[in-house]
Amino acid sequence: LELGELDTPVATVDLDAVERNIARMQDYCDEHGLAFRPHVKTHKLPAIAHMQLAAGAVGITCQKLGEAEVMQAAGIRDILLSFPLVGPAKAERLAALAGEAELSVAADSAAVANGLSEALARAGVEVGFLVELDGVFERSGVQSPEEAAELAELVDGLPGLRFDGLMTYPTTEETGPQVRAAIDAVRARGLEVRRVSSGGTPTFFTNHEVPEITEVRAGTYVYGDRTCIANGTVPFDDCALRIRATVVSRPTADRAILDCGSKTLTNDAVEDPAGGDGHGLIVEYPDARLHTLHEEHGFVDLSACAERPEICDVVTIVPNHACAVTNLHDEVAVHRGGRVVGFWPVAARGKLR
Amino acid sequence: LELGELDTPVATVDLDAVERNIARMQDYCDEHGLAFRPHVKTHKLPAIAHMQLAAGAVGITCQKLGEAEVMQAAGIRDILLSFPLVGPAKAERLAALAGEAELSVAADSAAVANGLSEALARAGVEVGFLVELDGVFERSGVQSPEEAAELAELVDGLPGLRFDGLMTYPTTEETGPQVRAAIDAVRARGLEVRRVSSGGTPTFFTNHEVPEITEVRAGTYVYGDRTCIANGTVPFDDCALRIRATVVSRPTADRAILDCGSKTLTNDAVEDPAGGDGHGLIVEYPDARLHTLHEEHGFVDLSACAERPEICDVVTIVPNHACAVTNLHDEVAVHRGGRVVGFWPVAARGKLR
C-alpha cells in the first residue's frame, strides 16, 4: 500500500524521519552527558516511545495520568508526570500506577504534595518529586528560591514522596541563574538536588550551557512542524507528521477548498514569527496560502501559484503544530519512503485526565 | 452521582438545556413551515440526533461520511451529506450506505457528480443531489446562476443521482436574491427546484425572510457557546456544553492555572466581536480572563476579580466554540440539574473521512 492509495484526510508519519529526529536529539544529549526524557504528548504512541527508549532515552514524560497509564500498559517503566496532579481520584490512580512503574511527579504547591502523599503512603509506594520553577511563559511553578526550598523541605518530610530535585520549562537564558539560586536555597536546608529537568524543543540545543541541568525533556522534535522549521530544530525533510488532503472544490481560478479544516489541523498558529502565517505549508504548492479553516474546509488562495491543483488532486500539508494535530487523529498511517507499514492507533489520544 | 464528584477536565452536557434549544429552533421552523435538518457536527451523538428527530426534524445533516455511517448505524434514515464527497473510496461507501438510508449530497462540480454517479449507478441506488451555491464566506459552491443550472442539468442526466435543488450557507441578506436567480436559471432548463437548504445558527431566525428556503440546517444551537451568546441565538443559561476544570496552580496572587488547555478547549476564538476575548467564560468568576492556552494549561488572569479561586477548586467554563470542543472529547457527562444521568461516547468524533 502506497500513501497515494489512502483516502483523505489522513495523518501520515514518516518513520525514517522520526528515526532521524530521535537520533539527532539523543546524539546531542549523549555528547553532553544529559539524560533525555522525551515527552510523549506529541506522538501519544507506545511504539514511538519504545523507539525513543531504544535509542537511549532514560524514560518518558507524560502530561496526563491517562497518558502514563497507556504507556505503562505498553511496557514502559520510567515515567515523569510533569503536570500537577490534583484531587483524590488522580492520587489514587497515581498510587496504583506507582506499584507497577517508576514514577516521578512535578508540582509547585504544598496542597498538591500533601494530597499525593496521603494516597501514596496509604498504598505503601514512593514517587519522586520535582519542585517546578516558573519559566518565561509565566505558567505554573514557584516564584522564588525560598518558595522552592520551602516546598522541597515539606516534600522531604512527607511519606510516599521523595524529593528528587527541580523541574522547569523551557530552557532560556534565565534558566541557569534561576536554577542555581534555587539549588543554593534548597541546599541551605540540608537537602540534595539530584535531578534538574528542563527542556522544550525550540531551545533544545542550549541545554548544555546550563551545567546544573541533568535531564532534558522535549516532545515536538519527534515529528517536527512549521514551528520547528522556523526555529531551526527540525529541517523540512524531517517533518515526519503530514496531512494528506484532497481538493474537493475549485470554485474560482484563485481558490481551492481542501477536505481538512480545524478538526483535522487545529487553528493553532505557527509559534515562531519566522514561520509564516496560515494553517499549514502545502508541500506541492509552497506559494499557496491555507489562509482560513472552517471545521472541515481548508481555504486555499492560489493567486501566487504558477501551477495550481485540480479538483480531486491530493496535496500534502506540514502542520503548524504537530502535538495539537496528532491529538485529533484516532490513528496515523506509518510509512517508510511512501510505503505504508502500518496504521497505528494514537493510543494515548483523548486521555484528558 | 453529582457533577461535583467528577474528575476534571470533563465535558458536561445539560440535557434540559439541550431540550430547550431543540424546542426553540423547532418551534421557529414549525411556525414558518420550514423543514429542520439539524447538523450533527456539533454533538456527534446518536442520542441527541434522535431527540432532534423526535422533536420534529425531518432528518439530519452530516459533514463527513463517517459521521453518517455512525448515525445510520444508530437507526437514523434521512441524512444530507453537505460536504463534497471526492474519490472512489467515498463513492463506494456512499453507495453502500444509500442502500440502507435515504441520502442526499451536495457539491459544486461536475467532477464530484460524475464520480458519485458511477459508483451509485453500479450499486443500483439513487441519491438526491443539491447544487451548492457559494455564500458570504467565499468557500465552496458555484459562482453564478448559470453554473448552478449547468450542474443541475448534468446531474439530472446522471444515473444514481436525482437533482433535488440547491444548498447554501449561511443565510444572509444576499441569500434571497442569489437563490432566486439560481432557481430562475435552473427552471429555464426545464428542471424543478424542489428543495432549497440553507442555515447556520447565527442567522437562524431570518430564514423565513427568504420564502424560497424549504429547509434549514444548524448545528451549534444545540449546545450554545460564547459565540451563540454574543449573536443572541442561545442565552447563557441554555449553553448546554460546559467544561469543568480544576485550579492546579496558584503561582501568584493574580494568576491561576487550570487543567484545561487547547487539547480540551481548542484555540478557536469567539466568532462574534461582541463575544469577548480569551478562550472561554469562567462561570463562577466572570471577571477572570482565560487569556492563554498551552496544550494542557489554561492561564487565568484574576487581577479584575474580587473573589478568587483557591488551588484545587473546580470551575465551569462555557467554551468559545462548542463544535470544536466536543470533537476533543471521547465522552460527555450528561446531566439534568447537576445530577449525572449518563456518560455518552461521542460516537461520531474523529470520523474525519
Side-chain angles (χ1 to χ4, degrees):
Chain A
L1 193 66
E2 301 287 322
L3 286 183
E5 298 170 72
L6 300 178
D7 196 16
T8 68
V10 63
T12 67
V13 172
D14 177 344
L15 270 195
D16 295 322
V18 164
E19 288 174 351
R20 291 193 295 273
N21 294 333
I22 291 174
R24 186 184 316 110
M25 263 47 180
Q26 187 66 53
D27 286 352
Y28 166 84
C29 289
D30 291 348
E31 186 189 339
H32 294 287
L34 288 161
F36 188 23
R37 183 180 290 277
H39 207 313
V40 304
K41 62 159 187 155
T42 305
H43 55 71
K44 295 176 181 274
L45 291 170
I48 292 186
H50 279 295
M51 289 164 66
Q52 292 168 316
L53 291 166
V58 296
I60 62 169
T61 308
C62 292
Q63 205 72 318
K64 294 284 182 170
L65 196 47
E67 294 172 352
E69 288 165 343
V70 167
M71 294 296 157
Q72 188 276 327
I76 291 173
R77 282 202 55 82
D78 187 338
I79 304 174
L80 166 63
L81 279 149
S82 51
F83 191 88
L85 294 172
V86 172
K90 291 196 182 75
E92 290 295 331
R93 286 164 62 201
L94 178 70
L97 198 64
E100 308 296 325
E102 191 182 322
L103 295 186
S104 47
V105 298
D108 65 0
S109 68
V112 171
N114 283 319
L116 296 179
S117 167
E118 200 182 323
L120 294 168
R122 200 164 49 235
V125 292
E126 190 181 70
V127 162
F129 190 100
L130 302 177
V131 172
E132 183 179 6
L133 312 180
D134 198 8
V136 285
F137 289 127
E138 303 190 347
R139 201 165 77 171
S140 43
V142 298
Q143 301 294 303
S144 69
E146 261 322 292
E147 270 188 64
E150 204 171 303
L151 182 54
E153 194 168 43
L154 172 83
V155 166
D156 185 58
L158 287 176
L161 291 177
R162 178 189 68 242
F163 172 71
D164 277 354
L166 308 172
M167 183 186 89
T168 189
Y169 169 82
T171 304
T172 65
E173 287 182 3
E174 288 95 76
T175 303
Q178 183 192 24
V179 164
R180 284 187 279 277
I183 289 175
D184 289 347
V186 171
R187 283 195 180 141
R189 305 216 183 189
L191 295 171
E192 203 187 335
V193 176
R194 285 184 298 271
R195 184 173 161 198
V196 176
S197 181
S198 189
T201 292
T203 58
F204 194 89
F205 299 110
T206 68
N207 280 291
H208 69 284
E209 296 168 13
V210 182
E212 289 78 11
I213 293 175
T214 64
E215 171 183 294
V216 182
R217 311 182 315 280
T220 317
Y221 81 95
V222 77
Y223 278 165
D225 55 22
R226 282 178 94 199
T227 300
C228 291
I229 296 173
N231 65 36
T233 49
V234 181
F236 167 81
D237 284 342
D238 292 351
C239 285
L241 177 75
R242 302 185 181 201
I243 301 296
R244 291 176 60 83
T246 299
V247 177
V248 297
S249 173
R250 277 298 315 276
T252 72
D254 286 345
R255 193 197 314 163
I257 300 294
L258 301 177
D259 62 352
C260 61
S262 63
K263 284 177 173 172
T264 301
L265 287 171
T266 80
N267 271 317
D268 287 15
V270 180
E271 274 172 34
D272 193 297
D277 62 356
H279 298 281
L281 173 66
I282 303 179
V283 175
E284 297 85 355
Y285 301 92
D287 296 326
R289 280 186 59 244
L290 182 52
H291 61 89
T292 300
L293 301 180
H294 283 185
E295 288 163 51
E296 306 294 359
H297 297 74
F299 295 55
V300 183
D301 176 6
L302 301 170
S303 57
C305 303
E307 305 270 311
R308 298 175 182 205
E310 297 296 316
I311 193 163
C312 305
D313 282 357
V314 173
V315 299
T316 311
I317 297 165
V318 175
N320 288 353
H321 185 195
C323 317
V325 170
T326 199
N327 186 51
L328 297 174
H329 294 263
D330 285 350
E331 63 175 23
V332 288
V334 177
H335 70 97
R336 291 193 187 269
R339 179 137 186 272
V340 177
V341 296
F343 294 91
W344 290 356
V346 185
R349 191 208 55 74
K351 304 300 178 195
L352 291 175
R353 291 182 288 273
Chain B
L1 192 65
E2 301 287 322
L3 286 182
E5 297 170 72
L6 300 178
D7 196 17
T8 68
V10 62
T12 68
V13 171
D14 178 345
L15 271 194
D16 295 322
V18 165
E19 287 173 353
R20 291 194 295 273
N21 294 334
I22 291 173
R24 186 185 315 112
M25 262 48 179
Q26 187 65 53
D27 286 352
Y28 167 85
C29 289
D30 292 348
E31 186 189 340
H32 294 287
L34 288 161
F36 189 23
R37 183 180 291 278
H39 207 312
V40 304
K41 63 160 187 154
T42 305
H43 55 71
K44 295 178 181 270
L45 290 169
I48 292 187
H50 279 296
M51 289 165 65
Q52 291 168 317
L53 292 166
V58 296
I60 62 168
T61 309
C62 292
Q63 206 71 319
K64 294 285 181 169
L65 195 48
E67 293 171 353
E69 288 165 343
V70 167
M71 293 296 158
Q72 188 275 330
I76 291 173
R77 281 202 57 81
D78 188 337
I79 304 174
L80 166 63
L81 278 150
S82 50
F83 191 90
L85 294 172
V86 173
K90 291 197 181 73
E92 290 295 330
R93 286 164 61 200
L94 178 71
L97 197 64
E100 308 296 326
E102 191 181 322
L103 295 186
S104 47
V105 298
D108 65 0
S109 67
V112 171
N114 284 319
L116 296 179
S117 167
E118 199 182 324
L120 294 168
R122 200 163 48 233
V125 292
E126 190 181 70
V127 162
F129 189 100
L130 302 177
V131 172
E132 183 178 7
L133 312 180
D134 199 9
V136 284
F137 290 127
E138 302 190 347
R139 200 164 77 172
S140 43
V142 299
Q143 301 294 303
S144 70
E146 263 320 293
E147 270 187 65
E150 204 170 305
L151 182 55
E153 194 168 42
L154 171 83
V155 166
D156 186 57
L158 286 177
L161 291 177
R162 177 189 69 242
F163 173 71
D164 277 354
L166 309 172
M167 183 186 89
T168 190
Y169 170 82
T171 304
T172 63
E173 287 182 2
E174 289 96 76
T175 303
Q178 183 191 25
V179 163
R180 284 187 279 278
I183 289 175
D184 289 346
V186 171
R187 281 195 181 141
R189 307 216 183 189
L191 295 171
E192 204 187 334
V193 175
R194 286 184 299 272
R195 183 174 163 199
V196 176
S197 182
S198 189
T201 292
T203 59
F204 194 88
F205 300 110
T206 68
N207 280 290
H208 68 285
E209 295 169 12
V210 183
E212 289 78 10
I213 293 174
T214 65
E215 170 183 295
V216 183
R217 312 182 313 281
T220 318
Y221 82 96
V222 78
Y223 278 165
D225 55 21
R226 284 178 92 198
T227 300
C228 291
I229 297 173
N231 65 36
T233 49
V234 181
F236 167 81
D237 285 342
D238 293 350
C239 285
L241 177 75
R242 301 185 183 202
I243 300 296
R244 291 175 59 82
T246 298
V247 178
V248 297
S249 173
R250 278 297 316 277
T252 71
D254 285 346
R255 194 198 312 165
I257 301 294
L258 301 176
D259 61 353
C260 61
S262 63
K263 284 176 173 171
T264 302
L265 287 171
T266 78
N267 271 317
D268 286 15
V270 180
E271 274 173 33
D272 193 298
D277 62 357
H279 298 281
L281 174 65
I282 302 179
V283 175
E284 297 85 355
Y285 302 93
D287 297 326
R289 281 186 60 243
L290 182 52
H291 61 89
T292 301
L293 301 180
H294 283 185
E295 288 163 52
E296 305 294 359
H297 297 75
F299 294 55
V300 183
D301 176 6
L302 302 170
S303 57
C305 303
E307 305 270 311
R308 299 175 181 204
E310 297 296 315
I311 193 163
C312 303
D313 282 357
V314 173
V315 299
T316 310
I317 297 165
V318 175
N320 288 353
H321 185 196
C323 318
V325 170
T326 199
N327 186 51
L328 297 175
H329 294 262
D330 285 350
E331 64 175 23
V332 288
V334 177
H335 70 97
R336 290 193 188 271
R339 180 140 185 273
V340 178
V341 296
F343 294 91
W344 290 355
V346 185
R349 190 209 56 73
K351 303 300 178 195
L352 290 175
R353 292 182 288 272

